[in-house]
Amino acid sequence: MKKEVSLLKVGGVSLVLIVCLVVLSLVTLSIGTAEYTIPQIVDALLNKDDGPIRVIVLNLRLPRLIMAIEVGACLAVAGALLQSVMRNPLADPGIIGVSAGAVTAATTVLLLFPTMISLVPLLSFVGAALACVLIYILAWRDGVDPVRIILSGVAINTVLGSYNSFLQMLNADNLANVLVFLNGSLSGCNWEQVYVLTFYAGLGLILGFCCIKNANILQLGDEMAKSLGINVNWVRVLLSGVAAFLAASTVSVAGMIGFIGLVVPHIARMMVGSDYKALLPVSTLLGAVLLLAADTLGRTLIPGMEIPVGIIMAATGGPFFLYMLRKKGKVSGS
């Protein structure tokens, strides 16, 4: 009976999130510098004449909407997987250095090898993967301890951040694209980027959902996992690799967007519990809803000015992170 109630709750939460996503999508397509009604949008999309409504909605707003949904879903799943690996609800691709590796690779290409810009998605993943490998090498001591992983990740994040700052200082005259990239923005998204991200996101999310069983086992603790015949270190590497792939996929097209991977899994955990069979689907939907809402807010909050979605997420996610730190400290201290 408890299982049925749990499934009913997960289904109810998922249905609410899907409805929110549909409503928010319609709002996103409707508002902006020019505002249109839903019937106007539907009529423009069905009629294939290249009027202004069709051009704006089909070529500007719709690709951006799809991109926001995919980026939010990928970052949320990446954060959820890393929280299982670390056994820590404060883990996040941006905090432990995974996103920093992807950003470093992309920034290096944009500033030093601009003719290789088409390789940014691939090199972003390579950068994230190398950051992961380095983190695990530094954290390894007769196995991998989650605390050492986090400390190593923070150190890598700091070092790569200083490298990126130095690179920007040397190329001060060519920072326009890089600054947009570092702030995390979905501005200027096109269908080609959507196609690329859809492939990477689809593959990464499938791999992420295939990791549900292992993510649940890691939550039981190392000793229990080993007693079940699980190679804990290998599973941690596997889940970290999938998380790195998801984070790098988003960085390559949207830049550095923080806190989605931290905030979303925690909210989903409060909604449906810590079982990854429920947590991961709800995190996927919630990540899509929150990032789409943040992007819509960023482009409509101040008329005539667009605030990058990365700044919106930092402004809202930062206080939430501090709240989580205080709450965790109180719990551990009690």
Side-chain angles (χ1 to χ4, degrees), residues 39-49 54:
Q40 284 179 312
I41 293 173
V42 172
D43 183 63
L45 293 178
L46 292 179
N47 296 326
K48 296 189 177 180
D49 56 323
R54 179 180 174 84

Side-chain angles (χ1 to χ4, degrees), residues 247-328:
S249 299
T250 66
V251 167
S252 66
V253 295
M256 187 74 168
I257 301 175
F259 292 106
I260 280 284
L262 167 69
V263 172
V264 169
H266 183 73
I267 297 176
R269 202 172 279 112
M270 291 190 292
M271 288 179 170
V272 296
S274 58
D275 185 348
Y276 272 72
K277 291 179 182 178
L279 179 65
L280 220 57
V282 170
S283 293
T284 303
L285 290 171
L286 185 58
V289 170
L290 285 186
L291 194 65
L292 181 58
D295 185 54
T296 303
L297 179 65
R299 69 181 181 83
T300 58
L301 184 62
I302 303 177
M305 176 183 175
E306 181 173 315
I307 304 173
V309 65
I311 294 177
I312 296 291
M313 285 310 307
T316 54
F320 186 86
F321 181 60
L322 293 175
Y323 162 76
M324 281 296 301
L325 283 174
R326 288 185 60 81
K327 184 178 179 181
K328 194 168 189 285

Side-chain angles (χ1 to χ4, degrees), residues 184-300:
S185 175
L186 298 174
S187 178
C189 293
N190 55 52
W191 283 109
E192 183 179 350
Q193 290 174 311
V194 170
Y195 298 146
V196 171
L197 181 60
T198 299
F199 172 77
Y200 286 116
L203 179 59
L205 290 174
I206 289 172
L207 292 174
F209 276 81
C210 289
C211 294
I212 286 176
K213 180 179 178 181
N214 287 327
N216 276 331
I217 291 176
L218 283 184
Q219 293 190 103
L220 300 175
D222 290 3
E223 295 302 321
M224 180 64 74
K226 289 176 183 176
S227 69
L228 294 173
I230 299 297
N231 186 325
V232 175
N233 292 324
W234 167 245
V235 169
R236 280 205 174 100
V237 170
L238 175 64
L239 266 63
S240 297
V242 174
F245 181 80
L246 286 165
S249 299
T250 66
V251 167
S252 66
V253 295
M256 187 74 168
I257 301 175
F259 292 106
I260 280 284
L262 167 69
V263 172
V264 169
H266 183 73
I267 297 176
R269 202 172 279 112
M270 291 190 292
M271 288 179 170
V272 296
S274 58
D275 185 348
Y276 272 72
K277 291 179 182 178
L279 179 65
L280 220 57
V282 170
S283 293
T284 303
L285 290 171
L286 185 58
V289 170
L290 285 186
L291 194 65
L292 181 58
D295 185 54
T296 303
L297 179 65
R299 69 181 181 83
T300 58

Side-chain angles (χ1 to χ4, degrees), residues 82 96-98 127-137 156 237 240-241 243-244:
L82 286 176
I96 68 163
V98 173
L130 289 176
C132 262
V133 170
L134 189 54
I135 289 167
Y136 273 91
I137 289 174
I156 293 299
V237 170
S240 297

Side-chain angles (χ1 to χ4, degrees), residues 29-175:
L29 292 176
S30 302
I31 63 176
T33 305
E35 297 188 0
Y36 309 115
T37 64
I38 299 302
Q40 284 179 312
I41 293 173
V42 172
D43 183 63
L45 293 178
L46 292 179
N47 296 326
K48 296 189 177 180
D49 56 323
D50 291 331
I53 299 179
R54 179 180 174 84
V55 171
I56 290 174
V57 172
L58 187 62
N59 295 334
L60 297 178
R61 294 183 185 176
L62 189 56
R64 184 166 181 162
L65 182 152
I66 296 172
M67 189 81 75
I69 291 173
E70 292 180 344
V71 168
C74 287
L75 288 175
V77 171
L81 292 177
L82 286 176
Q83 288 174 13
S84 173
V85 170
M86 312 300 175
R87 295 208 310 273
N88 189 321
L90 302 181
D92 170 80
I95 293 173
I96 68 163
V98 173
S99 293
V103 167
T104 299
T107 302
T108 301
V109 172
L110 290 173
L111 290 179
L112 300 183
F113 308 101
T115 58
M116 299 172 60
I117 194 170
S118 61
L119 295 179
V120 165
L122 174 62
L123 294 178
S124 293
F125 172 65
V126 171
L130 289 176
C132 262
V133 170
L134 189 54
I135 289 167
Y136 273 91
I137 289 174
L138 293 174
W140 190 278
R141 186 186 301 167
D142 298 326
V144 177
D145 179 71
V147 175
R148 288 202 299 270
I149 294 177
I150 293 176
L151 293 176
S152 300
V154 170
I156 293 299
N157 210 354
T158 303
V159 172
L160 293 180
S162 64
Y163 165 80
N164 289 332
S165 298
F166 180 68
L167 201 60
Q168 293 168 49
M169 185 180 69
L170 294 179
N171 297 271
D173 297 331
N174 189 29
L175 290 181

